[in-house]
Structures are given as C-alpha cells and as structure tokens.
Amino acid sequence: MKRSVILYIAASLDGKIAKKNGDLNWLYQTENDGDNGYYAFMKQVDTTIMGRTTYDEVLGFDVPFPYDDYENYVVTSHAPKEGHPEVTFVDGDIVHLVENLKEKEGKDIFLIGGGNLITQFLEKDLVDELILSVAPVLIGEGVPLFSGNYLEKRFKLSELRQYKDLVQMHYVAE
C-alpha cells in the first residue's frame, strides 16, 4: 500500500492556523468532543514532518515530546546544536525527502505544519490527503492556512465529521 502525506490541521473560519504571535487559545477554547479523532489518526501514521517553528513550539509544551514513537523530520536551514534524539533535521529538497519516505515500507506520513512548510508542500504538489478541522471563530490577523503560489489541485471529500462546534473535513487528492 502506498504511503500518503496527510496534512492534519485545524483552522479558524477565516482560514488561520494561529494568531500572528503563534497563539492557539482560540482553538483550545472551541467546544469539541475530546480528541476529535486525533488518536485514531495517529494510529495510521508512523512518520511526522514539521517545520522548525512548529518543532520549537512542540518542545515548549508542558509535556514530553509527543512523537517519540514516530520517525520525525524537521525541515529547517537552522538546525539546533542539540535536538531531540528522535528527530532528524533536514535542510534541502523536500521532494527528495518525501520520495525517499514513500519508497520505504510504513504507515502514512503526518505533515504537521507550520504555514511556511505547508506552502512548500503545496507548491511541490506533495499533499495527498487533507484533514481540516474548522473552529467557529474569526481571529483576524494570523498565520494563513494556505498561502504561496501553488498550482490548482482538486480534492474529493472522503469524510465529514462534527465534534460539537468543530467540523472536520477529510479530503483525498484526485
């Protein structure tokens, strides 16, 4: 079975994934149903890819690194002198990275974000599936979910779920 790169992410109604300062309280304050399918999703992946800013934010959470049981890649041109032992820092061609990962046996690949990395993946046509949760809030200025100069790409709705006030759409590339 071919591995897919899946962008699993939440956004506000106005298409932002974080406030300008990175704040996510607007998302945490949204009434939902527990994990909103996150733990089921995490069982279908064994690899994560994230940008450096997202990696730094994850390390700043008041919990242990949540992806120890996964193969982890951080795309950055500024790798820290000391990183988490479960992380490989990648500076370079993301197309090559994804091609290599897809050649290996394994589960799907979780594209965590952030905004700049998502743009790079879209511009290189590397997103196979998109699971987008939308919170019913307008946050104004912030980090856009999609930006950049990517090509038009069609997705087909695979599944639609509601977790109280949160709506989650699962799309698969056509």
Side-chain angles (χ1 to χ4, degrees):
M1 187 167 117
K2 183 182 169 201
R3 301 174 82 183
S4 292
V5 173
I6 304 171
L7 172 59
Y8 183 100
I9 197 159
S12 62
L13 279 175
D14 51 353
K16 305 298 190 303
I17 59 174
K19 286 191 175 182
K20 196 173 183 178
N21 64 358
D23 179 53
L24 295 173
N25 283 331
W26 58 272
L27 179 60
Y28 303 141
Q29 294 170 356
T30 300
E31 186 160 351
N32 58 48
D33 290 324
D35 75 346
N36 307 313
Y38 177 77
Y39 291 110
F41 168 73
M42 291 306 292
K43 288 179 182 175
Q44 81 179 65
V45 301
D46 63 2
T47 305
T48 72
I49 301 175
M50 67 188 90
R52 174 66 192 272
T53 301
T54 300
Y55 170 72
D56 289 343
E57 287 176 15
V58 168
L59 289 181
F61 294 158
D62 198 20
V63 296
F65 187 69
Y67 307 113
D68 278 340
D69 296 331
Y70 301 87
E71 187 174 354
N72 301 288
Y73 295 89
V74 174
V75 179
T76 181
S77 58
H78 299 93
K81 290 183 177 143
E82 291 183 26
H84 193 275
E86 301 299 325
V87 173
T88 300
F89 293 93
V90 178
D91 178 13
D93 187 1
I94 60 172
V95 173
H96 184 69
L97 170 65
V98 171
E99 286 173 350
N100 285 341
L101 290 174
K102 285 188 170 188
E103 286 177 8
K104 295 164 61 174
E105 290 289 320
K107 297 180 180 181
D108 290 327
I109 302 160
F110 176 15
L111 174 58
I112 298 175
N116 290 334
L117 188 60
I118 292 168
T119 297
Q120 291 176 49
F121 269 68
L122 290 172
E123 288 175 346
K124 302 291 185 185
D125 194 24
L126 297 173
V127 177
D128 301 306
E129 298 180 38
L130 193 149
I131 300 174
L132 173 61
S133 298
V134 178
V137 59
L138 301 170
I139 64 171
E141 275 193 291
V143 179
L145 173 60
F146 302 122
S147 64
N149 192 24
Y150 47 86
L151 299 175
E152 181 176 322
K153 182 173 183 172
R154 294 250 172 231
F155 288 83
K156 181 177 173 100
L157 183 64
S158 169
E159 188 174 8
L160 181 64
R161 292 181 180 227
Q162 180 177 353
Y163 298 99
K164 291 191 180 172
D165 287 343
L166 200 72
V167 174
Q168 187 176 81
M169 299 161 286
H170 184 172
Y171 292 98
V172 178
E174 290 186 335

